[in-house]
Amino acid sequence: MNSLRFVITSTRCFASKSTVDWTRPGKVLSLEQKQFYQKNGYVLVRKCIGREELNKYEERFNAICERKVKPPASMLVMKDVSLAKKVTPDSIDAITKLQDFCDEPVLFSYCEHPRVTDVVRDLIGSSPESRIQAMHTMLINKPPDTGKLTSRHPMHQDLIYFPWRPADLTICAWTAMEKINKKNGCLQVVPGTQTQLLKEHDYPDWEGGVNKAYYGIKDYDLSLPREYVEMDAGDTVFFHPNLFHGSGANRSDGFRKAISCHFANYDHTKYIDVKDTIQEETGKQIVEIIKKHPQRYSVKPGQEVTFELSWRLRSRPVHHDGKENL
């Protein structure tokens, strides 16, 4: 196996946490890589996932879109707001996201890939054996923009969706399935913003509409310096859930694919009550979505749907069989 490669694209700090030893290298990451993440809130690992695996994920995505493979009931198959009425339901060009693929074995193998999980444990675990949980899974098929810029994603913090803490023990692994650059809407990050408090979020007032749950930071300061994370196929960026990030419109002629998973440290992460916090409204909206589709999310008759339950029903253990914490 080739060694992991990474690229430093900026320098800037978040408080050390007792669970992770920031003074020593990890199993696969160097001390420099770990401290870069600690300071900036993200780190880019080159050639993390091989072409064979990427082809496998893409083939399964295509088969699901073309209805050659039946997706699990728990998976959400989504269309871009600008495409929903313009193409046939079984077209690859109609589907822009597969969400919650924890029950789809081919796609979930990404979450279990050792070249992903080793990095995750280096950054949110106390040891290479730390138990981790796959919390949120997506395969994104970002469409060419129709001219109304609906393919962009506003700057946001993923933590707005997550009712658990500490935030420092959650991380996203986001892998490019093809070349991703400014033209086709690469990720944009504001280094160091993971140290800030969670901001209030809302739907941006954009002409052409906004995709469901594409929240943005309210009154976002557009003058903040951002960096563009350009990637080749297989490159993976690992980032903190509080980091300001988003993506631009896809101005190319083709779709742009990426696969991702948010992981949490199973042993040191606990759910919180978001009542009377800026996450309360987000929680209510997600609960309403779950209530509309009880069978998809395996809600039992008479079971009270809560923000916490919405995540318990969707998360899955990675390389362990724990069932209590998350």
Side-chain angles (χ1 to χ4, degrees), residues 165-264:
R165 297 295 187 275
D168 287 350
L169 297 185
T170 293
I171 194 170
C172 180
W174 196 99
T175 298
M177 295 176 64
E178 55 201 306
K179 189 175 184 62
I180 295 180
N181 51 32
K182 289 183 183 179
K183 185 174 182 179
N184 64 8
C186 67
L187 284 182
Q188 305 169 17
V189 301
V190 182
T193 49
Q194 77 286 345
T195 62
Q196 297 194 25
L197 296 175
L198 180 61
K199 307 296 184 182
E200 187 175 357
H201 286 59
D202 202 352
Y203 284 108
D205 185 17
W206 285 353
E207 181 183 357
V210 182
N211 287 299
K212 190 71 173 176
Y214 272 37
Y215 302 130
I217 296 172
K218 195 172 182 179
D219 301 320
Y220 181 75
D221 182 359
L222 293 174
S223 69
L224 289 173
R226 65 183 68 183
E227 297 193 6
Y228 296 85
V229 186
E230 296 190 305
M231 308 164 71
D232 291 321
D235 293 351
T236 303
V237 61
F238 297 83
F239 60 91
H240 191 284
N242 226 26
L243 184 74
F244 293 5
H245 69 287
S247 63
N250 180 359
R251 301 179 187 275
S252 73
D253 296 329
F255 283 70
R256 184 270 272 164
K257 292 182 179 64
I259 188 169
S260 73
C261 177
H262 281 85
F263 297 89

Side-chain angles (χ1 to χ4, degrees), residues 4 38 72 131 155 206 210 220 271 278 287 295 320:
L4 295 177
Q38 183 189 22
R131 294 192 292 180
M155 298 298 282
W206 285 353
V210 182
Y220 181 75
Y271 284 103
I278 57 176
V287 165
Q295 292 183 320
H320 70 90

Side-chain angles (χ1 to χ4, degrees), residues 37-102:
Y37 176 85
Q38 183 189 22
K39 182 179 291 186
N40 294 282
Y42 75 102
V43 65
L44 177 59
V45 177
R46 296 290 191 191
K47 299 183 179 180
C48 187
I49 300 294
R51 186 71 259 177
E52 183 178 349
E53 288 91 347
L54 296 178
N55 289 342
K56 180 175 64 175
Y57 307 146
E58 183 168 8
E59 288 168 5
R60 181 51 57 106
F61 170 78
N62 292 343
I64 290 171
C65 292
E66 295 172 342
R67 299 185 179 183
K68 295 177 181 177
V69 171
K70 184 177 181 180
S74 57
M75 179 187 288
L76 182 60
V77 180
M78 302 174 65
K79 301 177 185 178
D80 184 82
V81 66
S82 69
L83 300 177
K85 299 179 180 180
K86 296 184 178 180
V87 282
T88 58
D90 57 353
S91 166
I92 294 172
D93 293 346
I95 306 305
T96 58
K97 184 186 291 186
L98 300 181
Q99 185 163 288
D100 301 327
F101 58 66
C102 282

